[in-house]
């Protein structure tokens, strides 16, 4: 089961690589790619990471509707503040910003001190979150292979996480930070994320249909 799970994960990762590489090659040949609005809408689902599935469900089970603000906030922003987002993107392009640190420092005369502070704070804030993502992936893997993290059956779990982290880093290098161009678009990355969103939606719809089927055919309580 562990080899089957790893094989499926690697095939899926290779498929994402293939999608991104194909789109990048088509873009290099001057063909139009990743320009449809649906592609960008689906790419926004990158916001819904594994924490949205594990943390959202856990919070809903323990605290009711308290999980909604993390989803309602971005929805309100995109629905009711499009002009703000348009101006934000225009200012970032005008300043040639390639990161949040560049953008904030550009508002203060491109101060290197402010850029360094923002970069440091962003790194410190992101590391625990990235660790949480890897933790959720390890938990999913442990459930699939039928072993708990830290048990004798999960002794290769740490190695698996290193492999996954390496694949993610390689993907980010090849299709995210490989090209230093403040006006460029990572078309391959956008389409790969959109493709991943289609997979997520399909999986969630499948689980919802299964849950509904089980609920409708469950025996009545005495």
């Amino acid at each position: 089961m562990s080899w089957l799970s790893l094989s499926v994960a690697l095939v899926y990762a290779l498929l994402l690589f293939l999608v991104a590489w194909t789109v990048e090659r088509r873009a290099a040949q001057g063909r139009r790619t990743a320009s449809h609005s649906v592609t960008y809408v689906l790419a926004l689902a990158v916001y819904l990471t594994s924490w949205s599935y594990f943390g959202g469900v856990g919070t809903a089970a323990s605290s009711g509707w308290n999980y909604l603000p993390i989803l309602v906030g971005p929805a309100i922003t995109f629905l009711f503040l499009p002009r703000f987002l348009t101006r934000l993107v225009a200012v970032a392009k005008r300043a040639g910003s390639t990161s949040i640190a560049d953008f904030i420092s550009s508002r203060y005369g491109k101060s290197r001190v402010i850029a360094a502070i923002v970069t440091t704070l962003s790194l410190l804030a992101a590391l625990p979150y990235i660790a949480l993502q890897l933790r959720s992936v390890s938990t999913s893997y442990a459930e699939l292979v039928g072993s708990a993290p830290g048990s004798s059956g999960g002794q290769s779990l740490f190695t698996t996480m290193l492999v996954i982290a390496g694949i993610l880093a390689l993907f980010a290098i090849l299709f995210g930070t490989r090209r230093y161009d403040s006006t460029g678009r990572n078309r391959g990355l956008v389409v790969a994320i959109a493709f991943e969103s289609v997979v997520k939606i399909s999986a969630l719809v499948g689980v919802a249909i299964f849950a509904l089927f089980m609920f409708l055919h469950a025996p009545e309580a005495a």
Side-chain angles (χ1 to χ4, degrees), residues 26-47:
R26 289 172 59 88
Q29 294 173 350
R31 303 179 187 178
R32 262 185 96 181
T33 54
S35 58
H36 201 284
S37 58
V38 175
T39 304
Y40 288 101
V41 170
L42 288 172
L44 288 175
V46 70
Y47 177 76

Side-chain angles (χ1 to χ4, degrees), residues 169-181:
L170 180 62
F171 193 91
I173 292 171
L174 290 177
F175 302 105
T177 60
R178 171 172 57 95
R179 184 178 57 239
Y180 184 82
D181 184 3

Side-chain angles (χ1 to χ4, degrees), residues 51-71:
W51 173 245
S52 299
Y53 299 102
F54 287 90
V57 173
T59 304
S62 61
S63 306
W65 297 101
N66 289 349
Y67 75 97
L68 272 182
I70 196 173
L71 303 175

Side-chain angles (χ1 to χ4, degrees), residues 76-87:
I76 291 176
T77 301
F78 282 101
L79 287 174
F80 301 106
L81 299 174
R83 291 187 178 181
F84 166 75
L85 294 175
T86 301
R87 292 184 62 185

Side-chain angles (χ1 to χ4, degrees), residues 111-132:
S111 170
R112 293 186 176 181
V113 175
I114 292 180
I117 293 174
V118 174
T119 300
T120 303
L121 291 177
S122 299
L123 178 63
L124 293 176
L127 281 178
Y129 191 74
I130 294 173
L132 186 62

